[in-house]
Amino acid sequence: MSRRRGSRPCQVCGRSTRSITYLCADHRPIDAVPAVTLDGSMVAIAGLTFTAQQALRVADMLVDAAEECAP
């Protein structure tokens, strides 16, 4: 099992966050890309952990959604 990232204060308001940007959800830029990390054979996307097959399915679903809403 992996260790969880420690909590730290938001640089703007001081609210507790685990974000590597040191910004809470209210203060992160709207165009910020979620963190993607590998933990052994698991893929973590914005703090959600997936198997490799699940991550591939999520990636396919993201591409489908982006293509649907793109002009």
Side-chain angles (χ1 to χ4, degrees):
M1 184 112 194
S2 66
R3 293 187 327 211
R4 292 184 72 169
R5 183 180 302 129
S7 183
R8 54 186 60 105
C10 172
Q11 290 180 336
V12 177
C13 67
R15 191 168 104 191
S16 181
T17 181
R18 285 195 168 100
S19 172
I20 60 173
T21 63
Y22 287 83
L23 297 171
C24 68
D26 292 341
H27 294 107
R28 264 181 241 130
I30 206 141
D31 60 347
V33 177
V36 177
T37 57
L38 296 176
D39 184 14
S41 63
M42 304 297 280
V43 179
I45 305 169
L48 300 172
T49 305
F50 302 97
T51 65
Q53 289 300 316
Q54 290 172 323
L56 287 170
R57 181 68 183 127
V58 169
D60 287 341
M61 293 168 60
L62 287 170
V63 168
D64 292 346
E67 289 175 345
E68 203 171 296
C69 69

